[in-house]
Amino acid sequence: MSTKVRQIIAKKVQRGISGMKIGSSVPELRKLTDHLITFLKVNPKVATLQAPCNNTSAQGCFRFDVSLKKLNYALISNPPCESHQRSKVCELQDLGSSLVHKIETDDTLLSAYVHPHPNDDDMLLSLTVPAGEPCCEVLQNVLKQPSNFWHQSDLLSLIPKQSVVVEFSSPNIAKPFHVGHLRSTILGGCLSRMHAALGHHVIRLNYLGDWGTQFGLLKYGCDARSITRSDLLEDPIKKLYEVYVWANKQAETDPNVHAEASQLFSRMEHGDEQALEQWRFFRDISVKDLNKTYKRLGISFDEYHGESDYPAASCAAILRQMEDCGLLELHEDGRKMYEFTPGRKVTVVKSDGSSIYLSRDIAAAVDRYQKFGFDHHYYVVDMTQIDHFRALFSALTALQYPWARRMRHVRFGRIKGLSSRKGSTLFLSDLLDDGRKLMMKQQTQTSTTLVSGNDAVAAADALALSAIVVADLRQRRHRDYDFSWQAALRSTGDTGVRLQYTHCRLVQLEQNCGVALNLDAQLQSLASEPAALACVALIAKYEEILYEFHESLEPYILVSYLFKLSHSINKALYKLKVRDAPRDVAEARLALFVAARHTLAAGLTLLGLQPLDKM
């Protein structure tokens, strides 16, 4: 919300509330006054900017709603029960009426009134202010600092700058980049960009599944099928996966195959150089192939770690520490187990002494805190791993690491219906190729397409990625959802393609409208145009959206906002013509649309998308 609007309202409310008598059933006057002013200035959950309205004059205005219930609950340490909350509506109405009675209205604060919340047992204190000055402030702030206009936000300045590790993607070597890894990559990349945009020090970490018996199976399969290293240089992950599947089938009928693979992994754990040299080759060619996919997704990492960084020798100190604390239980078959919750145990060391995923994750967490000293560590991993992370966090807490509470499992649901047309096994490159082909076909059938040749291929690739990313991030994280190319590639409705189309329209407008951007344009004229004020109100909300995104780690908040902004922009484009309008009006409208474009582009960039100029 505009800093200017908050300051105007805070000053008027502070003046009006002085000396007001409040009953014993609500917080004391001084405390109420202090908190009300604070919330008006910075708290988006208590006070929010709503759609603009028109008063009786020709001048437009903004409405600012203060939730009296949220304000009241924020002032007490122990909120009352739900039934008591419902019984306080009349009390809140009395409080609001008393505030309104004391607030003086004038040309800087046009009105103050109380009314029920339409969807809640709450009362709203609504205050309206003239739109002219805050409208200028909002647009000029964006136009003067288009790449980081939110940095001037009083609200976002409340978030302390911290060191944040985001661990995401984490595919397994020699296995397909499946939908769980895809969703982790999209979500983890978005969370990383959001934290970086707010000034945090972000470490983007990819923790590869590059250790385990699977490498013994790969070695067996390559030897048995006489596959050489040169055979694996092209499409290594697909070829290694074929070998892995074949070796697994052999192991199903011949127990000696699995025994041989397990023996090879045990040799790797104990430092056998010949076994490790073959493993390094598998790992290196796989990482190079993965990087091609990440480049296409616009994803980069600061750190590549792997389970291989924490073999049995590295885990030994952690295991001794767990034994000293009495956390491990030895079973008859030689396994060592940890009870992470009453009645639920998990293996930490296998019967042959080899490390397992959990023991390596405990060692990795200790190592990362020693390296990064993080304030937060986010594991972006699907919901099937809930018990694993419960065990991990429980073990770290039992080992008395105080920073264990800084770690969080950012979990998400499954994507259904997402597969390559080349088969049920998903390779992301095939999926993106399918989307690009479908998008190019759609472009050739559209008369408004502005790109051709290599530009058309690049645009189709970007639009296919936009379709996937927006279709994913518009969902609440924990929910499963169905993916459909037909729905995702629509150019109408709420899709990534539509967001890109809106951005392209704004670029084309700026290039062809007949006037140049003037940072000194008379923006006050926009105050009398409701379609313009609707856009300004949404632009002003960008900082509140970032704040809520940061608090919840839910990208759908940002995506929903971008859909609303896109709808508002398209309505304004229809109603507010720039070409052939009087020059001062045209310049003001162009400034609005350029600011809207910068805001839309900022949001698209946070999602991990390159805003397109034409399509």
Side-chain angles (χ1 to χ4, degrees):
M1 175 52 200
S2 163
T3 300
K4 180 65 68 176
V5 174
R6 291 187 187 277
Q7 290 174 345
I8 291 172
I9 294 177
K11 182 177 180 180
K12 300 294 292 187
V13 173
Q14 188 171 30
R15 182 186 303 166
I17 201 172
S18 299
M20 187 177 116
K21 294 182 179 180
I22 298 179
S24 60
S25 59
V26 295
E28 61 179 293
L29 174 61
R30 184 67 261 162
K31 188 176 182 182
L32 175 65
T33 304
D34 292 343
H35 280 77
L36 177 56
I37 302 309
T38 300
F39 289 141
L40 282 170
K41 290 180 179 177
V42 298
N43 194 314
K45 295 180 180 179
V46 173
T48 59
L49 178 70
Q50 300 300 330
C53 58
N54 287 325
N55 59 8
T56 55
S57 70
Q59 174 106 1
C61 63
F62 288 121
R63 193 181 85 229
F64 200 63
D65 284 351
V66 180
S67 166
L68 294 177
K69 183 173 76 170
K70 291 179 181 178
L71 174 63
N72 192 29
Y73 295 164
L75 303 180
I76 50 182
S77 56
N78 297 308
C81 65
E82 186 67 25
S83 60
H84 186 46
Q85 290 179 13
R86 287 194 294 268
S87 69
K88 296 189 68 175
V89 173
C90 293
E91 185 177 291
L92 293 175
Q93 185 171 12
D94 291 341
L95 171 61
S97 297
S98 298
L99 284 169
V100 169
H101 181 69
K102 293 293 183 180
I103 295 174
E104 297 179 1
T105 59
D106 55 23
D107 58 351
T108 60
L109 181 62
L110 301 175
S111 67
Y113 57 97
V114 176
H115 60 102
H117 191 289
N119 301 314
D120 196 7
D121 55 342
D122 190 8
M123 298 299 296
L124 299 176
L125 170 62
S126 290
L127 307 141
T128 60
V129 296
E133 189 173 358
C135 182
C136 293
E137 182 204 3
V138 169
L139 297 182
Q140 287 175 351
N141 181 47
V142 176
L143 294 171
K144 290 177 180 178
Q145 296 178 282
S147 62
N148 58 8
F149 56 88
W150 58 91
H151 284 187
Q152 302 303 313
S153 166
D154 289 340
L155 172 62
L156 297 179
S157 69
L158 297 177
I159 301 174
K161 304 302 182 283
Q162 297 178 321
S163 177
V164 179
V165 175
V166 184
E167 179 188 313
F168 64 103
S169 193
S170 303
N172 296 306
I173 299 299
K175 292 184 180 180
F177 199 103
H178 66 67
V179 291
H181 296 133
L182 171 60
R183 200 165 189 197
S184 172
T185 304
I186 292 172
L187 176 59
C190 186
L191 295 179
S192 299
R193 285 183 291 273
M194 178 270 291
H195 280 88
L198 295 178
H200 297 290
H201 174 59
V202 181
I203 300 100
R204 299 165 177 84
L205 192 151
N206 196 347
Y207 186 52
L208 300 172
D210 66 347
W211 201 241
T213 307
Q214 75 219 45
F215 287 95
L217 289 169
L218 284 175
K219 170 66 173 170
Y220 168 82
C222 287
D223 291 346
R225 297 177 64 178
S226 300
I227 295 176
T228 66
R229 293 192 176 190
S230 59
D231 294 331
L232 295 171
L233 293 179
E234 186 177 351
D235 287 335
I237 291 181
K238 290 183 180 181
K239 291 179 179 177
L240 286 174
Y241 179 64
E242 291 172 2
V243 172
Y244 179 74
V245 171
W246 181 86
N248 263 297
K249 288 182 178 179
Q250 302 305 306
E252 290 174 2
T253 57
D254 184 355
N256 292 326
V257 173
H258 197 275
E260 184 178 336
S262 296
Q263 184 181 25
L264 179 60
F265 175 57
S266 182
R267 286 166 50 199
M268 289 167 58
E269 285 260 74
H270 290 88
D272 183 279
E273 186 54 36
Q274 184 178 1
L276 287 173
E277 197 275 335
Q278 180 72 20
W279 162 80
R280 290 190 195 100
F281 173 73
F282 289 153
R283 186 186 190 277
D284 290 347
I285 61 173
S286 297
V287 170
K288 288 180 181 178
D289 202 34
L290 281 170
N291 279 331
K292 295 178 183 177
T293 299
Y294 288 130
K295 184 177 181 180
R296 195 168 175 184
L297 289 172
I299 294 288
S300 62
F301 293 93
D302 302 299
E303 299 275 342
Y304 273 95
H305 293 187
E307 292 182 65
S308 58
D309 294 325
Y310 309 99
S314 298
C315 296
I318 292 294
L319 295 174
R320 284 195 301 271
Q321 189 178 355
M322 293 184 75
E323 287 181 334
D324 291 344
C325 294
L327 301 177
L328 297 184
E329 178 182 321
L330 181 63
H331 277 229
E332 294 180 357
D333 61 3
R335 287 181 300 157
K336 294 181 180 180
M337 304 192 76
Y338 168 64
E339 186 174 33
F340 65 93
T341 194
R344 304 194 67 181
K345 300 177 183 179
V346 62
T347 300
V348 179
V349 183
K350 292 192 287 189
S351 56
D352 64 358
S354 298
S355 64
I356 204 165
Y357 193 69
L358 178 60
S359 55
R360 296 194 286 269
D361 251 12
I362 296 171
V366 173
D367 180 56
R368 286 173 197 160
Y369 186 75
Q370 291 173 346
K371 286 181 179 178
F372 305 125
F374 52 77
D375 297 295
H376 296 283
H377 188 304
Y378 298 122
Y379 295 91
V380 187
V381 183
D382 67 75
M383 294 185 71
T384 62
Q385 299 298 311
I386 287 177
D387 281 346
H388 170 78
F389 286 104
R390 285 176 178 167
L392 172 63
F393 301 154
S394 171
L396 291 170
T397 301
L399 290 170
Q400 299 183 358
Y401 289 112
W403 43 263
R405 66 180 183 275
R406 304 181 189 179
M407 311 188 97
R408 177 176 171 181
H409 176 201
V410 182
R411 54 186 184 266
F412 53 85
R414 298 175 300 165
I415 311 176
K416 295 180 286 185
L418 187 57
S419 63
S420 169
R421 293 186 296 176
K422 295 184 179 180
S424 58
T425 300
L426 174 67
F427 288 93
L428 184 59
S429 58
D430 292 338
L431 179 73
L432 291 174
D433 287 345
D434 287 347
R436 179 174 61 196
K437 291 174 183 176
L438 289 169
M439 194 66 232
M440 289 187 70
K441 181 179 179 181
Q442 187 170 308
Q443 286 179 318
T444 59
Q445 297 172 348
T446 304
S447 60
T448 57
T449 298
L450 299 177
V451 289
S452 60
N454 291 335
D455 289 342
V457 175
D461 214 24
L463 290 168
L465 179 60
S466 299
I468 294 174
V469 169
V470 171
D472 186 89
L473 295 180
R474 67 177 297 178
Q475 314 294 329
R476 292 178 184 268
R477 275 193 289 105
H478 63 278
R479 291 181 179 171
D480 298 344
Y481 75 93
D482 294 304
F483 179 86
S484 159
W485 274 123
Q486 182 179 1
L489 289 174
R490 287 200 314 262
S491 59
T492 59
D494 292 341
T495 66
V497 175
R498 183 63 178 180
L499 292 177
Q500 291 282 19
Y501 173 75
T502 300
H503 187 269
C504 290
R505 282 193 73 186
L506 293 170
V507 172
Q508 296 302 311
L509 170 74
E510 187 174 0
Q511 293 176 350
N512 302 314
C513 66
V515 294
L517 177 64
N518 180 5
L519 295 181
D520 297 319
Q522 300 303 308
L523 301 177
Q524 290 87 344
S525 64
L526 297 172
S528 61
E529 300 181 319
L533 293 188
C535 274
V536 174
L538 283 167
I539 293 170
K541 273 183 170 289
Y542 188 77
E543 64 182 66
E544 295 177 7
I545 295 300
L546 287 188
Y547 184 92
E548 292 179 39
F549 182 9
H550 180 268
E551 292 296 296
S552 65
L553 303 183
E554 286 280 11
Y556 86 88
I557 292 173
L558 174 60
V559 177
S560 297
Y561 164 80
L562 293 178
F563 288 150
K564 292 177 183 176
L565 179 62
S566 176
H567 294 324
S568 181
I569 289 169
N570 282 294
K571 288 180 181 178
L573 285 168
Y574 176 74
K575 293 184 177 181
L576 307 176
K577 304 303 180 184
V578 178
R579 179 176 286 277
D580 299 327
R583 187 171 188 83
D584 58 338
V585 174
E587 288 181 342
R589 290 175 177 177
L590 177 61
L592 166 69
F593 290 126
V594 172
R597 177 174 66 81
H598 289 317
T599 307
L600 180 59
L604 288 171
T605 302
L606 283 191
L607 298 183
L609 304 175
Q610 176 64 44
L612 296 178
D613 291 347
K614 56 184 178 178
M615 55 183 278

